Amino acid sequence: MNKNANKTPEQQQYEQLEQKHELKRPVLKNCIRAFWVGGLICIIGQAITYFYIYFFNFTEQTAGNPTVATMIFISMLLTGFGVYDRLGQFGGAGSAVPVTGFGNAVISAAIEHRTEGFVLGVGGNMFKLAGSVILFGVFSAFVVALIKTLLIMWGVI
């Protein structure tokens, strides 16, 4: 069934006018920007990992947690100074998908609601956006661990 069949002629005319004036999104350009920004964030994360390995005698496995904490701290610091928001405007998903996007989401909500007080404003709203990320991250880690445990018990792995 045609979706324009139930619309009045004025609605159809308005839709045509809207399509005529709608800005075309530069999808390829946005993808390239996201690729470079995400890649740059990963290069910085790898450099921090090597820093922990070289200067603090961590192994590749043990350097992961401090690297993640450092990347989140840096993104929160840059968000506080307004730099990460500009990076997000430029790089889009390239800045939102890495762990630094999580830090940005947490601190942005805290900054936005700081006028409401520390408990009800910052504490109550800090994890509104990031809370779902934490919830589904913990749940998916539980499911993966459960599957791995069952596979080990059955002798598959």
Side-chain angles (χ1 to χ4, degrees):
M1 182 175 187
N2 188 3
K3 66 178 185 177
N4 285 336
N6 296 335
K7 295 183 180 175
T8 65
E10 291 84 15
Q11 289 173 326
Q12 292 174 2
Q13 184 180 6
Y14 179 78
E15 260 188 20
Q16 290 171 352
L17 179 68
E18 182 183 35
Q19 289 174 356
K20 179 181 161 189
H21 292 288
E22 182 180 1
L23 295 174
K24 302 296 181 228
R25 294 189 187 114
V27 176
L28 181 62
K29 184 172 134 181
N30 290 346
C31 288
I32 291 170
R33 284 181 172 182
F35 174 81
W36 284 108
V37 168
L40 177 66
I41 290 170
C42 291
I43 288 171
I44 293 168
Q46 193 65 46
I48 292 171
T49 299
Y50 286 144
F51 173 81
Y52 282 120
I53 291 171
Y54 184 76
F55 288 106
F56 295 103
N57 295 323
F58 281 94
T59 65
E60 277 193 46
Q61 286 184 330
T62 58
N65 290 337
T67 299
V68 169
T70 303
M71 292 295 290
I72 291 173
F73 177 76
I74 290 170
S75 70
M76 289 178 160
L77 199 62
L78 292 176
T79 299
F81 289 123
V83 175
Y84 203 87
D85 294 333
R86 287 187 296 224
L87 183 69
Q89 287 287 324
F90 178 80
S95 68
V97 172
V99 72
T100 54
F102 171 78
N104 174 263
V106 170
I107 204 71
S108 292
I111 290 170
E112 184 178 342
H113 296 284
R114 73 179 181 267
T115 58
E116 298 170 26
F118 285 120
V119 175
L120 295 177
V122 174
N125 294 299
M126 182 183 270
F127 292 106
K128 275 191 175 176
L129 179 60
S132 59
V133 175
I134 295 169
L135 171 74
F136 289 112
V138 169
F139 178 73
S140 57
F142 170 76
V143 170
V144 168
L146 182 64
I147 291 170
K148 183 177 179 182
T149 303
L150 291 174
L151 291 175
I152 289 172
M153 287 175 53
W154 294 334
V156 177
I157 315 181

